[in-house]
Amino acid sequence: MASRLPPLNPLRAFEAAARRGSISAAARELSVTHGAVSHQIRSLEETLKTALFERGGKRLKLTPQGALLLPAVTQAFDGIAAATALMNRPSTSGSLRISCVPALLSLWLVPRLGSFVDRYPEISLTLTSSNDSSLIYSPDIDIAILYGAGGWKDCWTRLWSNFDLFPVVSPTLLNTRPLRSVRDLHDHVLLHGDDGREWRSWLAAADQLDMPKAREHFMGDARLSTEAARHGQGVALGDSITASSLIAAGELVIPFDLAVPAPDAFYVAARNDVRAAPIAKVFIDWIFDMIETERAAQPRPASRPSGRGLPSTRKRNTNTAGQLLEES
């Protein structure tokens, strides 16, 4: 079967000349001389024992035999080009193992994974809930999304987002036990997602470090403290990323008009060899695209760097809570 096919180079010259309508244009496309294209076409005509172009006009015109051949040749070259592109395309299939800060994983990443899965259906994800930076170097993890100060050694690291912290409370609890001023926090349970540093930072900004000590629970991470606040068990510090969906849905409200920058930030990290893999790159690109898109959709909030005097209690439209998202 292969011996019955015309030579490849003459077919390329014929297809380019027919498509371009000019020997000179075909020569420029193929980076050869005008004479070389003419020679290849004559060679093909001799092989097929038929004329493929009518001679004499300013623009090449196909003979009936040339018109019959051209679609098959064009289709064949298009198929070869498509197959070559597929061969050269980086692989975006396989398994990808991701560790992520618990609150960010359950409250932000998981609800948005559908868009990634739709775009890359051949990638299988394994998700681990952790903020352990040593997982960057674990062979069981490909990408780590961490809350911290950054600066981990011997790996690729990029700041994903800074964010603000502010009190959040369930509307049910707020209706039964109002928060008219920061001093009213004394009558509530403070829910900690850390060792207490974040609440101390917020109370310092509100000039309320001397407030009588409130009851408090230490929940281990922000996911648990946020969930506890959602269930009316106290007042937590939410952030402008992980709590945004719950606030927009009306499950949490913001009782005070004061937010403070979180002491650390979210980072994406990976070993250098993993970062170079196409399957890792598409996920990293996706997660940065998602936060940039959401940031662009939110108006920039009014900045309030310090809490001189008490922050006022006021009713807030819970659908605008995402406005607290700061640029990184």
Side-chain angles (χ1 to χ4, degrees):
M1 176 68 73
S3 63
R4 296 170 55 188
L5 295 175
L8 180 60
N9 283 341
L11 285 173
R12 290 184 64 207
F14 162 72
E15 190 275 337
R19 177 165 39 82
R20 293 281 191 165
S22 164
I23 298 290
S24 297
R28 288 192 295 271
E29 177 180 315
L30 299 175
S31 300
V32 296
T33 65
H34 183 284
V37 173
S38 296
H39 174 75
Q40 294 286 1
I41 292 173
R42 284 196 301 270
S43 174
L44 181 61
E45 289 176 325
E46 290 173 1
T47 299
L48 298 175
K49 298 181 173 56
T50 186
L52 299 174
F53 293 102
E54 295 180 1
R55 267 64 175 183
K58 291 184 178 180
R59 182 176 176 82
L60 289 178
K61 183 179 180 182
L62 288 167
T63 64
Q65 291 82 2
L68 179 65
L69 179 63
L70 179 61
V73 174
T74 300
Q75 184 178 6
F77 279 120
D78 287 346
I80 293 171
T84 302
L86 286 174
M87 291 172 61
N88 293 331
R89 187 178 66 184
S91 175
T92 53
S93 63
S95 298
L96 193 61
R97 300 159 300 181
I98 299 163
S99 70
C100 183
V101 184
L104 186 64
L105 177 62
S106 62
L107 299 175
W108 189 92
L109 182 57
V110 168
R112 291 161 176 80
L113 272 182
S115 69
F116 179 80
V117 173
D118 289 343
R119 193 179 305 179
Y120 302 102
E122 296 181 357
I123 295 179
S124 174
L125 298 174
T126 299
L127 304 177
T128 298
S129 179
S130 176
N131 193 39
D132 183 357
S133 61
S134 69
L135 290 178
I136 301 172
Y137 312 102
S138 169
D140 297 324
I141 294 295
D142 298 313
I143 298 170
I145 306 168
L146 300 165
Y147 174 63
W152 300 287
K153 296 181 179 180
D154 301 322
C155 66
W156 174 87
T157 305
R158 181 179 168 189
L159 173 67
W160 185 67
S161 186
N162 296 301
F163 56 91
D164 287 338
L165 297 169
F166 43 83
V168 291
V169 62
S170 77
T172 301
L173 181 60
L174 196 61
N175 288 334
T176 58
R177 195 178 302 167
L179 284 169
R180 297 183 179 87
S181 73
V182 175
R183 304 295 284 192
D184 289 337
L185 285 171
H186 175 67
D187 299 323
H188 288 261
V189 177
L190 297 188
L191 302 170
H192 298 277
D194 66 347
D195 60 1
R197 177 177 59 153
E198 292 178 346
W199 262 115
R200 286 194 296 273
S201 174
W202 190 88
L203 290 170
D207 290 337
Q208 295 298 315
L209 281 177
D210 63 342
M211 184 186 75
K213 191 172 181 63
R215 291 174 296 156
E216 52 191 354
H217 295 316
F218 294 85
M219 313 298 290
D221 64 61
R223 175 191 58 181
L224 298 177
S225 60
T226 301
E227 284 294 323
R230 186 170 72 90
H231 289 287
Q233 296 172 12
V235 185
L237 281 181
D239 68 72
S240 48
I241 297 178
T242 63
S244 60
S245 296
L246 295 174
I247 296 167
E251 296 185 57
L252 291 173
V253 296
I254 305 171
F256 303 116
D257 187 17
L258 175 64
V260 298
D264 289 320
F266 289 129
Y267 290 85
V268 179
R271 296 183 301 281
N272 291 314
D273 59 323
V274 174
R275 170 69 181 93
I279 191 173
K281 184 178 185 302
V282 296
F283 181 85
I284 292 170
D285 288 346
W286 172 81
I287 196 172
F288 276 95
D289 287 346
M290 287 294 293
I291 194 64
E292 290 299 330
T293 298
E294 293 187 7
R295 181 181 292 116
Q298 297 293 348
R300 191 173 180 84
S303 176
R304 186 171 182 181
S306 64
R308 296 180 179 176
L310 296 179
S312 62
T313 303
R314 61 185 179 90
K315 292 184 179 179
R316 298 182 63 137
N317 183 345
T318 57
N319 289 327
T320 64
Q323 294 178 7
L324 291 164
L325 186 63
E326 289 280 7
E327 293 188 8
S328 57

